[in-house]
């Protein structure tokens, strides 16, 4: 039957392929990101431990002493490790390569419970000694050491220090489960001072529960431990509570709302595709009604006819599913390329058995969805009527109603998708138009970290290096202004310090407020085009021996000085060994900048001059005079290595690119939903077109009669458009109500636009109406041109 | 009112051959005339009527309607002229299956400049006149053939056309009903409506003022 009408079959299969393929592709993402268990034994026992501070955000990092207390006191947690991301430079000179890894306590190997492939892992005792050891991932061993079989015991140079390789982990082993984790180093060796400081909250904790415990118990117990710490160490721990939740949830919690939105969207696309195929089948079933009626008269049971319809449907769906898998396979490649990096495990997406099973289930469900209409219709034909009346009569009206229902459904579903896409597009537009508080174009940055081996804990030396570098940088050709900052906005790093305002009654260190703490060097504000609003900028007065000073941003003045004058006031930054806990005089106020992402409002910030707060790491910020400065990277490298040839110089990164990375997730959501909405709109338009075109051919005789009775061309056109729109309008109405109800679920994905934004809904209604109008007009034109004579003879 | 000159209508037979349904038709019909067209089956009567009704345009020759040269009109202009002047009774009734009797009667009015209330009044009048008030909510398939024909006639005259073209309007009617229709036509004709009817019955033809005989496409 299908072979006899290849055109019909091809259109049906392609439509289904589009719907099923999109679902398979998205399901493969869900599978990799949400469903697949973490790649460690007994993954359900793994937990993440975070802290939260009163009045502050959740999921704060913690300090090493807190970590040690929780680890030692908890009864429900079998083991717990603390880590921080780290980077090191492997080798030296022109051979140098940057590796990203983690500095971690030895417990990681117990928590994750996977033995090394080669050698051994480090021990708790080893952490406390000076014996520098490193464990490599399999991939690092492969890429950088050519799978050297004698790697164990070999000494390698990491940031100018000799480390002994003691182990290589099996393939795929890494933590965090992001794209890059290339080695494991003992934490305490790397930052011996920070680990002693209970106020230094720079660590993330991950643990494994005892088999008898559950996450809830563990969280309660950990909170209890942190309560005791609060009593014991009020200076550092007041208001800070630790808590736990499942590691899997921790990893995917952030992307879940976006993924669920996308899943709903892609499912709607499948529904619309099914509605289209149902329409095609209905039209065909109608043409075959006489055949079916004759068969029924000849004794074919109803069941047999319905079975035949479903079998045909299944064949279509199966072909659609196969083609769809092919589409999904391409789609996944696109997802891997365009997907945002911060979606965990995106690189693990693949078409596996589960995805294929899902696809087949989707095909079966589709069949049920699209074959049920024609099956219902033919399963209770009045045999007599069909035989007598040929192609018209009550059954014709009934199938007309079924087709109208399908159009209503398609329009409503498209309305939902378009509204969702519209909201995301407007959000994204708002996000991009958001002023970060500085001018990112033509600003290049270098993330420069001085090697620990030569510069750690040597503030004088750090200062001297950057001082000289600053002088060199500003003289490079094509540089309008040069400076440095740490941490750089949009670099993914931030730093907060608690402080107090001199002269106010002190509530005790634990109750001090936090503000973003930035260290700046050279012409940072001028290079970034951050405006100076009051007072002065840092200059030569603010050297190492000068009066300690600070600048603050507008948000800081607003929050801590009620927007009144802050110049001449003093802040005392807690635990600021470098400034020797001396009060800093506020000498200037600058404009607000956004730091973590464009979506996050500026927060209070204070800036300290580099000379008074030296650091081993600085982001160099270079404002160039033209878009593309040839040779700048090289001249910057020469400038840096002239001062110290042991310093590894990473590539220049345009600031705009860094901002772009923070836009990747919303852009991805927008693109995906936009694509689905476009597909939905197209399918719905095709659906409307199909129904109207079919109706027009079915009603040719009626049109001829009407014309003979005085109807003119515009009467015919009006009639068809009116009938089409009476159906479309119902779909629009239902879709509008559903969209208004469901858009609220998207709120967390929206920025600067209400879920009920009037202009979006108006625009979407307009777009859909225009699409429906075009889709109806094209076939309606044929009705206008019906030759009454031909139509009257038409039978 | 109508002047046909050298009208010919043919269909291709294949192999380059043509089958002529109408040949060299010259015909004048004055305003207020009442013409009966007669002839054997297949003679081309319906074809002629469809040409007069401007449904068909696959013919050659000249057709003047009043002063208008129909043979030069575009299909859109013909539709306008038809709308303004012509009422048509189809040999096969051609009622719309999905509409009730009432709605079928309303169709011609809906395409002309009548207000809602005028339309309702005219349909009510018509239902009355043809004694089918009781059937107004029925669908064509619920009517007998004769009843359908009555509705077809009622529908043709409801918008008071200047020219009424009726293709065997009484073919399926009981003779007394047929007579009533013929009386109605006579009255309408006296009021000024020009009528062309096709009929097989001498008796019906006698209601007209003159008879045209068609045979194999020729007027004889
Ligand atoms: N579309 C067509 N193609 C070919 N021949 C046609 C077509 N339409 C009509 N004819 C032929 O034209 C001739 C005249 O048909 P017409 O319907 O005008 O006859 P009639 O005089 O009305 O007959 P009746 O009394 O049976 O209604 C017939 O021989 C018919 O076969
Ligand atoms: Mg005839």
């Amino acid at each position: 039957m299908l072979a006899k009408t290849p055109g019909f079959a091809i259109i049906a299969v392609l439509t289904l392929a589009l719907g099923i393929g999109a679902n398979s592709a998205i399901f493969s993402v869900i599978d990799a990101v949400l469903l697949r268990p973490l790649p460690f034994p007994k993954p359900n026992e793994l937990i993440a431990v975070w802290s939260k501070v009163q009045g502050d955000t959740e999921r704060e990092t913690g300090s090493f002493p807190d970590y040690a207390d929780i680890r030692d006191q908890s009864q429900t947690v079998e083991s717990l490790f603390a880590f921080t991301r780290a980077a090191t430079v492997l080798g030296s000179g022109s051979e140098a390569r940057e590796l990203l890894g983690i500095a971690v306590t030895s417990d990681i190997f117990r928590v994750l419970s996977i033995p090394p492939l080669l050698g051994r892992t480090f021990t708790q005792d080893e952490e406390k000694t000076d014996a520098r050891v490193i464990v490599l991932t399999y991939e690092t061993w492969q890429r950088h050491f050519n799978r050297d079989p004698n790697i164990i015991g070999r000494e390698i140079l990491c940031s100018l220090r000799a480390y002994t390789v003691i182990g290589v982990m099996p393939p795929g082993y890494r933590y965090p489960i992001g794209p890059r984790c290339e080695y494991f180093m003992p934490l305490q060796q790397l930052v011996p001072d920070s680990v002693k400081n209970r106020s230094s909250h720079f660590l993330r904790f991950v643990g494994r529960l005892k088999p008898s415990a559950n996450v809830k118990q563990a969280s309660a117990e950990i909170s209890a431990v942190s309560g005791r710490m609060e009593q014991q160490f009020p200076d550092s721990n007041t208001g800070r509570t630790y808590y736990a939740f499942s590691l899997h949830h921790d990893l995917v919690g952030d992307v879940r709302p976006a993924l669920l939105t996308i899943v709903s969207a892609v499912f709607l696309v499948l529904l619309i595709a099914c509605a289209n195929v149902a329409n095609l089948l209905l039209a065909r079933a109608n043409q075959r009604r006489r055949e079916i009626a004759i068969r029924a008269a000849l004794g074919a049971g109803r069941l047999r006819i319905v079975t035949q319809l479903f079998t045909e449907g299944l064949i279509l769906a199966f072909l659609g599913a196969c083609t769809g898998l092919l589409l999904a396979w391409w789609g996944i490649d696109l997802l891997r390329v365009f997907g945002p990096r911060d979606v965990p495990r995106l690189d693990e997406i693949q078409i596996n058995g589960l995805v294929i099973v899902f696809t087949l289930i989707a095909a079966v469900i589709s069949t049920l969805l699209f074959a049920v209409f024609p099956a219902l219709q033919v399963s209770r034909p009045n045999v007599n009527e069909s035989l007598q009346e040929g192609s018209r009569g009550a059954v014709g009206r009934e199938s007309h109603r079924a087709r109208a229902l399908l159009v209503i459904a398609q329009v409503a579903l498209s309305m939902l998708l378009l509204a969702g896409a519209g909201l995301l597009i407007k959000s994204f537009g708002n996000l991009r138009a958001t002023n970060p508080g500085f001018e990112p174009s033509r600003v290049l940055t270098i993330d420069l970290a001085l090697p620990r081996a030569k510069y750690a804990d040597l503030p004088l030396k750090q200062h001297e290096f950057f001082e000289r570098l600053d002088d060199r940088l500003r003289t490079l050709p094509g540089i309008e202004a040069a400076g440095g900052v740490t941490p750089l906005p949009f670099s993914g790093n931030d730093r907060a310090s608690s402080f107090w305002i001199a002269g106010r009654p002190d509530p005790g260190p634990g109750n001090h407020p936090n503000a973003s703490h930035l260290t700046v060097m050279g012409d940072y504000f001028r290079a970034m085009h951050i405006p100076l609003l009051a007072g002065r900028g840092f200059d030569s007065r603010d050297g190492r021996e000068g009066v300690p000073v600070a600048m603050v941003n507008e948000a800081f003045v607003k929050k801590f000085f009620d927007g009144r004058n802050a110049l001449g006031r003093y802040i005392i930054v807690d635990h600021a060994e470098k400034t020797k806990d001396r009060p800093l005089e506020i000498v200037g106020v600058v404009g607000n900048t956004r730091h973590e992402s464009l979506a996050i409002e500026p927060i209070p910030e204070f800036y300290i001059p580099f000379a008074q707060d030296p650091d081993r790491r600085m982001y160099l910020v270079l404002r160039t005079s033209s878009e593309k400065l040839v040779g700048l990277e090289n001249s910057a490298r020469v400038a840096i290595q002239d001062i110290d040839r042991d310093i590894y110089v990473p590539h220049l990164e345009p600031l705009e690119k860094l901002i772009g990375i923070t836009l990747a997730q919303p852009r991805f959501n927008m693109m995906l939903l936009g694509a689905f909405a476009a597909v939905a709109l197209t399918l719905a338009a095709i659906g409307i077109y199909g129904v109207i075109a079919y109706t027009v051919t079915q009603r040719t005789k009626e049109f001829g009669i009407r014309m003979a009775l005085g109807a003119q061309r515009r009467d015919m056109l009006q009639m068809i458009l009116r009938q089409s729109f009476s159906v479309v309008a119902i779909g629009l109405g239902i879709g509008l109500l559903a969209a208004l109800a469901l858009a609220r679920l998207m709120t967390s994905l929206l920025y600067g636009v209400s879920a009920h934004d009037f202009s979006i809904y108006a625009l979407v209604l307009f777009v859909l109406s225009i699409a429906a109008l075009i889709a109806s007009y094209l076939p309606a034109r044929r009705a206008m041109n019906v030759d009454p004579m031909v139509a009257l003879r038409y039978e | 009112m109508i002047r046909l000159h050298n009208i010919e209508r043919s269909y291709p037979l294949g192999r380059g051959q043509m089958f002529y349904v109408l040949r060299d038709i010259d015909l004048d019909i004055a305003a207020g005339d009442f013409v009966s067209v007669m002839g054997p089956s297949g003679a081309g009567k319906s074809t002629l009527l469809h040409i007069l009704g401007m449904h068909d345009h696959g013919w050659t020759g000249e057709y003047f309607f009043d002063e208008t040269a129909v043979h030069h009109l575009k299909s859109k202009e013909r539709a306008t002229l038809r709308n303004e002047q012509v009422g048509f009774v189809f040999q096969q009734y051609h009622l719309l299956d999905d509409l009730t009797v009432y709605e079928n009667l309303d169709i011609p009015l809906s395409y002309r400049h009548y207000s809602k209330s005028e339309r309702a009044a005219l349909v009510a009048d018509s239902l009355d006149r043809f004694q089918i008030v009781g059937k107004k909510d029925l669908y064509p398939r619920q009517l007998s053939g004769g009843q359908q024909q009555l509705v077809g006639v009622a529908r043709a005259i409801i918008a008071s056309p200047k020219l009424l073209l009726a293709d065997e309007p009484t073919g399926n009617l009981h003779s007394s009903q047929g007579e009533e229709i013929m009386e109605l036509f006579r009255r309408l004709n006296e009021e000024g409506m020009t009528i062309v009817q096709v009929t097989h019955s001498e008796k019906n033809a006698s209601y007209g003022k003159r008879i045209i005989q068609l045979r194999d496409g020729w007027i004889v």
Side-chain angles (χ1 to χ4, degrees), chain A residues 793, chain B residues 11 19 21 40-47 91 168 200:
Chain A
R793 294 258 183 212
Chain B
Y11 292 101
F19 170 65
V21 181
S41 195
K45 306 182 293 295
S46 296
T47 305
Q91 188 172 8
E168 296 195 45
H200 286 292

Side-chain angles (χ1 to χ4, degrees), chain A residues 665-707:
Chain A
Q665 170 94 48
R667 177 186 284 127
F668 182 65
N669 293 345
M670 173 193 74
M671 276 172 28
L672 220 48
L673 213 57
F676 292 152
V679 172
L681 184 66
T682 313
L683 286 179
I686 292 174
I688 294 171
Y689 178 93
V691 168
I692 303 295
Y694 178 76
T695 314
V696 168
T697 49
Q698 287 291 295
R699 292 167 65 186
T700 307
K701 181 179 160 199
E702 176 196 336
F703 296 152
I705 296 169
R706 285 181 181 273
M707 295 191 80

Side-chain angles (χ1 to χ4, degrees), chain B residues 68-129:
Chain B
T68 314
V70 177
H71 45 279
H72 289 319
L73 295 185
K74 296 198 193 91
S75 77
K76 201 176 160 184
E77 295 159 332
R78 273 202 307 274
T80 309
L81 193 58
R82 177 164 67 225
N83 174 291
E84 288 163 357
Q85 310 281 352
V86 183
F88 205 100
V89 182
F90 298 99
Q91 188 172 8
Q92 302 87 347
Y93 325 141
H94 284 328
L95 302 182
L96 293 188
D97 297 331
D98 292 340
L99 302 184
T100 62
V101 167
Y102 186 102
E103 290 162 342
N104 263 290
L105 291 178
D106 191 42
I107 297 171
L109 301 177
S110 72
Y111 296 129
R112 292 168 174 85
H113 305 286
Y114 290 99
S115 70
K116 264 227 161 78
S117 55
E118 283 172 329
R119 276 160 63 174
L122 283 170
V123 174
D125 270 1
S126 175
L127 287 167
D128 225 20
R129 177 189 268 175

Side-chain angles (χ1 to χ4, degrees), chain A residues 418-437:
Chain A
L418 281 174
L423 289 171
L424 285 190
I425 290 170
K426 187 160 179 183
S427 288
F428 188 73
N430 287 343
L431 209 50
R432 283 192 47 158
T434 302
N435 179 1

Side-chain angles (χ1 to χ4, degrees), chain A residues 739-784:
Chain A
L740 286 172
L742 291 177
R744 223 168 304 151
L745 303 179
M746 285 177 61
T747 312
S748 72
L749 303 179
L750 300 182
Y751 175 76
V753 52
S754 137
H756 295 163
D757 185 272
F758 173 78
S759 62
I760 295 288
Y761 287 89
L763 184 70
V764 167
L765 278 176
F766 177 75
V767 167
L768 257 175
S769 305
I770 293 293
L773 186 70
I774 295 171
S776 316
Y777 174 75
L778 295 178
R781 257 189 347 184
R782 269 196 276 152
M784 285 181 352

